[in-house]
Amino acid sequence: MATGKLRIRAKEGGSVVAVIGDEDTITGFLLAGVGDLGAKRNPNFLMVTNKTKPAEVEAAFKSFTSRDDVAIVLITQDVANEIRQLLDDYNALFPAVLEIPSKNTPYDITKDSLMVRVRRLQGLDNA
């Protein structure tokens, strides 16, 4: 039954959500059942601490956005700020990258790469 609309289907076997964030955020998502190991036994999350280097965050982001089984990458905004240029340059439709607030840092719509693009498309932002 063709409806003329674009249909997007998860790959066979399903898709997962990847999460990059602080310990509390990761723990919450793991308790909610989001944790998974990929085919190569790679986890779908990165717990960022004050000892985590920005290069490690970049590597995890690149890994998650290149995995076939990841549909959404959630990243806390404070961690996203560490790799802002990489997020601003990311323009693929899938996996979708969404910035979320963390326990210690409130969400700032003006820093969210996706929301900045949406506002530009709506003509609400001259930047």
Side-chain angles (χ1 to χ4, degrees):
M1 167 169 99
T3 61
K5 294 182 181 179
L6 175 66
R7 291 186 163 226
I8 299 171
R9 295 193 173 127
K11 70 175 227 123
E12 190 155 331
S15 295
V16 298
V17 174
V19 186
I20 302 173
D22 59 84
E23 182 178 9
D24 290 334
T25 301
I26 297 299
T27 301
F29 278 99
L30 291 177
L31 288 171
V34 170
D36 188 64
L37 294 175
K40 297 180 182 176
R41 307 289 297 160
N42 295 325
N44 65 326
F45 61 90
L46 174 68
M47 187 178 303
V48 178
T49 67
N50 58 358
K51 296 179 182 179
T52 307
K53 295 178 175 75
E56 294 175 71
V57 177
E58 286 183 19
F61 179 81
K62 289 176 182 176
S63 171
F64 295 152
T65 55
S66 64
R67 280 177 50 175
D68 290 337
D69 64 335
V70 174
I72 299 172
V73 177
L74 299 176
I75 183 168
T76 56
Q77 198 169 58
D78 56 332
V79 174
N81 289 335
E82 295 178 23
I83 60 165
R84 179 60 56 203
Q85 188 60 46
L86 188 60
L87 285 172
D88 289 344
D89 292 343
Y90 181 79
N91 59 7
L93 293 176
F94 294 99
V97 177
L98 304 174
E99 294 181 34
I100 60 174
S102 67
K103 179 177 157 183
N104 299 322
T105 308
Y107 175 76
D108 183 357
I109 194 170
T110 63
K111 293 183 180 177
D112 187 328
S113 299
L114 178 63
M115 293 307 297
V116 167
R117 289 180 191 159
V118 168
R119 291 180 59 81
R120 281 187 193 144
L121 287 172
Q122 293 176 332
L124 300 174
D125 191 9
N126 296 332

